[in-house]
Amino acid sequence: MFRNQYDSDVTVWSPQGRLHQVEYAMEAVKLGTATVGLKNRDTAVLVALCKPASELSASQRKIIPIDDHLGISIAGITADARVLSKYLRAECLNYKHSYDFTYPVTRLITNLGNKMQTTTQRYDRRPYGVGLLVAGYDEKGPHIYQVTPSATFFNCKANSIGSRSQSARTYLDRNLNSFLDCSKDDIICHGINAILGTLPTDEHQSRDTPSQYSITVAIVGKNQPFKILSEEENAKYLEWAKARGAPADPRRPGDDDDDDNRPSTSDDPDAGPRDPQVAVATEER
Amino acid sequence: MLNNYNGMAQPLWQNGPAPGEFYNFTGGQTVQKLPRELTTAGPYGTKRSTAAITTGSSVLGIRYDGGVMLAADTLVSYGSLARYQNIDRVFKINKNILLGGSGDFADIQSIMRNIDQKMIEDQCYDDNIEMKPKSLASWMTRVLYNRRSRMNPLYIDVVVGGVEQNGTPYLANVDLRGRAYEDFVVATGFARHLAVPLVRENKPKDKEFTAEEASQLIRKCMEVLYYRDTRNSSTYTVGVCTPNGCGVEGPYQVNENWTFAATIKGY
């Protein structure tokens, strides 16, 4: 299924200056369930929405621990994420062995970006079809990074990727100013509230009945090694989050802005170059 | 690891094959080459160094409440010949690390090139993250142990000192086999026998040295070393590292007093 004559290969430019194969890879991110990353002054939090592939299976792991100071949350092709996480783990372990120190998050992500970029410049490779939210803590404090299949990465204050993640981003946008100074519990609740907005509308209406969706939360921060919260803790925070405030509004049908995060169906090749999804708020270095 | 390309390694398209070899594009699998000394024998077999040739003598490091001080004399000997008399053996690595090198000076220069290159790479990331003394000491143990395991050690004995991220001083010694330890006083060469006991004697219990005490001890120890170690010269440099930065001072001169010489008989 070719969309046009310029998407046969990653290395082929379109006359508009676009790399269609790379853009298709970006679409893979939107097929995965949503995940949210946010941080306060000394904690970074990842929240992921898990959904089993079928009623008979368990859900895929959405949050992958990399090292004591670092973990990733994924949206897209899980198998690609596994390869990337293997690379990240090896890098962190090597660094720890050589320097007796945790790998600075910024550098790790820079090197990951360089690795991922090579796949977009060779005819015999394909871009990784997975988007990452990286939560890490190092000497510079907590970090949230977004990494896209186009190998671009953003240093974020908070962000969300995956299907229907726009409503989570709207929630994050609205509450962005309160994140920095709020407590660890509060920031987790914010994360949960943000991700609840990405549930499909029918899931929302029956929110009190057990649903097939579940939430995974992970934190990392000052004196807090990367940890995926247990079921009990999850339940506790979910309760708190619901008591604390309204989750983000589910998207209403007909609400059709340009920043829609569902796989795009547009066939218009003249839409101009598409940048990677813009982060909620990116940070200066 | 999937490949060995990490951003710095190769320029993008300058990787065509040598005659008879295959293309190796960026991001592809690169073949790890064995170190040269393991693969190539010279016309008379493989040669390795078995002893230090041009040597620097002792290095002394003292940790105090606000930082560390490293001292080494400026002499590099060729056997018993005082061959190079004005060479700094205390190096500033970056704004939180000092390194003092003794042993084979060529090997010191070689490892210093590697370290300087690492610092340049640190700066190239442009992320305001600099190496810490503990990391450098750890890296030195890896390098030196690796070299000894390849039966081709670097004949050096180094003192790494500096200030960690949170402002705590750090002082350690790494030797040619990759052995390492941390302490408030660390020395190589003759200073290990002559200076360390002197410094330990003066250490107050449950209290670190002050900067004043540390510098007094350095002065005293360098004097003792000059008198008692034949491979020492009377000039020395001192590196000081504090949370506000570090630098190498000197050369200073030992307070020589040879009036007692006339009283020595029997030579």
Side-chain angles (χ1 to χ4, degrees), chain B residues 78-142:
Chain B
Y78 185 73
S80 59
L81 173 69
R83 181 66 183 82
Y84 307 101
Q85 304 192 4
N86 193 21
I87 290 180
D88 260 8
R89 294 192 293 118
V90 179
F91 305 97
K92 177 184 177 175
I93 306 296
N94 62 22
K95 72 173 167 26
N96 5 287
I97 314 179
L98 286 170
L99 182 138
S102 64
D104 191 284
F105 195 68
D107 285 351
I108 294 288
Q109 285 180 319
S110 159
I111 200 75
M112 276 304 294
R113 283 186 171 199
N114 282 293
I115 293 170
D116 285 344
Q117 187 57 44
K118 289 187 91 58
M119 296 307 125
I120 290 169
E121 280 167 21
D122 265 2
Q123 288 172 8
C124 287
Y125 277 106
D126 195 22
D127 54 9
N128 287 321
I129 298 173
E130 283 198 274
M131 194 181 260
K132 307 298 177 298
K134 190 162 159 243
S135 293
L136 182 71
S138 169
W139 181 80
M140 290 293 293
T141 63
R142 302 302 175 210

Side-chain angles (χ1 to χ4, degrees), chain A residues 83 87 91 94 97-101 104 106-107 110-111 114-115 118 121-122 125 128 139-140 285, chain B residues 1-2 5-7 25-28 118 122 125-129 131-132 134-135 138-139 142 165:
Chain A
V83 173
Y87 165 80
E91 287 293 291
N94 272 338
H97 177 257
S98 298
Y99 300 110
D100 194 15
F101 199 63
T106 332
R107 284 195 190 178
T110 309
N111 287 333
N114 289 346
K115 173 190 163 64
T118 57
Q121 215 173 1
R122 298 184 50 174
R125 304 284 295 269
Y128 290 93
E139 61 186 272
K140 299 283 179 201
R285 194 178 47 242
Chain B
M1 215 160 62
L2 288 160
Y5 177 73
N6 57 4
F25 290 115
T26 37
K118 289 187 91 58
D122 265 2
Y125 277 106
D126 195 22
D127 54 9
N128 287 321
I129 298 173
M131 194 181 260
K132 307 298 177 298
K134 190 162 159 243
S135 293
S138 169
W139 181 80
R142 302 302 175 210
Q165 168 79 8

Side-chain angles (χ1 to χ4, degrees), chain A:
Chain A
M1 185 207 76
F2 289 116
R3 288 197 183 180
N4 60 53
Q5 58 181 316
Y6 299 111
D7 66 355
S8 56
D9 207 309
V10 263
T11 60
V12 174
W13 287 104
S14 83
Q16 282 81 34
R18 302 163 56 176
L19 293 168
H20 288 283
Q21 287 291 338
V22 174
E23 288 175 22
Y24 298 163
M26 306 282 293
E27 298 294 319
V29 178
K30 300 174 189 168
L31 299 176
T33 52
T35 175
V36 168
L38 68 173
K39 65 181 180 183
N40 65 11
R41 205 174 290 284
D42 44 34
T43 318
V45 176
L46 292 175
V47 185
L49 196 63
C50 303
K51 180 186 182 244
S54 84
E55 299 247 332
L56 299 174
S57 72
S59 63
Q60 292 278 4
R61 229 152 49 122
K62 289 279 285 180
I63 298 185
I64 305 172
I66 300 296
D67 198 353
D68 276 349
H69 73 304
L70 188 87
I72 60 172
S73 179
I74 62 172
I77 300 173
T78 320
D80 285 10
R82 226 169 38 239
V83 173
L84 292 182
S85 65
K86 184 182 164 194
Y87 165 80
L88 292 174
R89 283 177 174 174
E91 287 293 291
C92 284
L93 212 54
N94 272 338
Y95 196 92
K96 206 181 258 180
H97 177 257
S98 298
Y99 300 110
D100 194 15
F101 199 63
T102 52
Y103 207 137
V105 181
T106 332
R107 284 195 190 178
L108 182 62
I109 299 307
T110 309
N111 287 333
L112 176 70
N114 289 346
K115 173 190 163 64
M116 289 172 78
Q117 192 276 339
T118 57
T119 65
T120 66
Q121 215 173 1
R122 298 184 50 174
Y123 71 92
D124 58 343
R125 304 284 295 269
R126 68 164 171 80
Y128 290 93
V130 69
L132 308 180
L133 285 180
V134 183
Y137 185 85
D138 62 19
E139 61 186 272
K140 299 283 179 201
H143 301 278
I144 294 287
Y145 274 91
Q146 180 202 2
V147 186
T148 69
S150 66
T152 334
F153 52 89
F154 302 98
N155 186 358
C156 303
K157 289 172 175 158
N159 208 350
S160 174
I161 56 170
S163 66
R164 287 183 296 276
S165 61
Q166 180 55 53
S167 50
R169 276 203 297 283
T170 311
Y171 177 90
L172 295 172
D173 240 340
R174 270 190 213 134
N175 296 282
L176 193 62
N177 293 328
S178 63
F179 289 166
L180 194 61
D181 291 315
C182 74
S183 69
K184 187 190 88 180
D185 290 342
D186 281 337
I187 200 80
I188 293 175
C189 289
H190 273 307
I192 292 174
N193 277 332
I195 204 124
L196 285 178
T198 70
L199 284 167
T201 322
D202 52 334
E203 289 286 335
H204 255 289
Q205 284 153 355
S206 58
R207 224 173 47 208
D208 296 326
T209 60
S211 77
Q212 54 176 336
Y213 285 92
S214 65
I215 287 175
T216 313
V217 182
I219 59 169
V220 62
K222 197 177 190 176
N223 305 321
Q224 169 64 62
F226 189 82
K227 182 176 83 166
I228 297 176
L229 299 192
S230 66
E231 286 294 322
E232 295 79 56
E233 286 170 301
N234 270 345
K236 184 183 74 181
Y237 279 114
L238 195 58
E239 194 113 321
W240 285 359
K242 281 176 179 169
R244 211 160 282 217
D249 295 330
R251 290 188 64 78
R252 272 170 282 283
D255 187 6
D256 208 34
D257 63 67
D258 191 39
D259 215 4
D260 192 345
N261 218 39
R262 282 167 293 198
S264 60
T265 48
S266 151
D267 271 309
D268 181 13
D270 300 324
R274 273 177 74 102
D275 265 345
Q277 294 297 318
V278 177
V280 168
T282 56
E283 282 195 319
E284 296 302 311
R285 194 178 47 242

Side-chain angles (χ1 to χ4, degrees), chain B:
Chain B
M1 215 160 62
L2 288 160
N3 62 53
N4 299 306
Y5 177 73
N6 57 4
M8 298 289 179
Q10 301 153 308
L12 212 48
W13 295 119
Q14 301 178 10
N15 46 12
E21 287 183 351
F22 294 107
Y23 271 105
N24 176 28
F25 290 115
T26 37
Q29 305 281 331
T30 48
V31 183
Q32 276 279 323
K33 265 193 173 164
L34 279 172
R36 211 163 65 93
E37 78 262 19
L38 296 183
T39 53
T40 33
Y44 310 105
T46 310
K47 268 195 170 180
R48 294 149 201 260
S49 46
T50 53
I53 307 297
T54 42
T55 56
S57 63
S58 325
V59 178
L60 172 66
I62 298 179
R63 191 180 73 197
Y64 63 96
D65 53 12
V68 293
M69 277 181 207
L70 257 61
D73 71 344
T74 58
L75 175 68
V76 170
S77 316
Y78 185 73
S80 59
L81 173 69
R83 181 66 183 82
Y84 307 101
Q85 304 192 4
N86 193 21
I87 290 180
D88 260 8
R89 294 192 293 118
V90 179
F91 305 97
K92 177 184 177 175
I93 306 296
N94 62 22
K95 72 173 167 26
N96 5 287
I97 314 179
L98 286 170
L99 182 138
S102 64
D104 191 284
F105 195 68
D107 285 351
I108 294 288
Q109 285 180 319
S110 159
I111 200 75
M112 276 304 294
R113 283 186 171 199
N114 282 293
I115 293 170
D116 285 344
Q117 187 57 44
K118 289 187 91 58
M119 296 307 125
I120 290 169
E121 280 167 21
D122 265 2
Q123 288 172 8
C124 287
Y125 277 106
D126 195 22
D127 54 9
N128 287 321
I129 298 173
E130 283 198 274
M131 194 181 260
K132 307 298 177 298
K134 190 162 159 243
S135 293
L136 182 71
S138 169
W139 181 80
M140 290 293 293
T141 63
R142 302 302 175 210
V143 170
L144 292 170
Y145 180 72
N146 195 265
R147 289 294 296 253
R148 84 105 228 190
S149 301
R150 278 148 52 178
M151 300 289 276
N152 195 14
L154 292 167
Y155 282 85
I156 59 176
D157 203 352
V158 298
V159 176
V160 179
V163 176
E164 291 290 318
Q165 168 79 8
N166 55 9
T168 50
Y170 175 92
L171 184 64
N173 165 241
V174 187
D175 73 5
L176 75 165
R177 306 280 136 87
R179 293 175 288 217
Y181 68 98
E182 291 172 39
D183 205 355
F184 66 88
V185 55
V186 141
T188 70
F190 246 80
R192 193 172 287 167
H193 305 95
L194 297 175
V196 169
L198 218 154
V199 177
R200 286 192 181 149
E201 244 168 36
N202 285 282
K203 177 75 165 49
K205 275 210 174 86
D206 336 308
K207 192 178 142 311
E208 295 277 316
F209 289 121
T210 62
E212 179 61 26
E213 286 167 339
S215 102
Q216 290 287 353
L217 279 166
I218 294 264
R219 201 169 307 153
K220 182 69 192 162
C221 289
M222 293 320 279
E223 188 182 327
V224 170
L225 283 167
Y226 172 56
Y227 281 133
R228 314 225 81 127
D229 180 2
T230 51
R231 300 283 179 271
N232 252 232
S233 76
S234 60
T235 52
Y236 61 96
T237 50
V238 180
V240 184
C241 191
T242 67
N244 304 321
C246 72
V248 181
E249 298 162 13
Y252 296 116
Q253 194 70 31
V254 169
N255 276 325
E256 291 178 68
N257 179 2
W258 292 102
T259 52
F260 66 87
T263 66
I264 296 177
K265 302 233 160 37
Y267 287 95

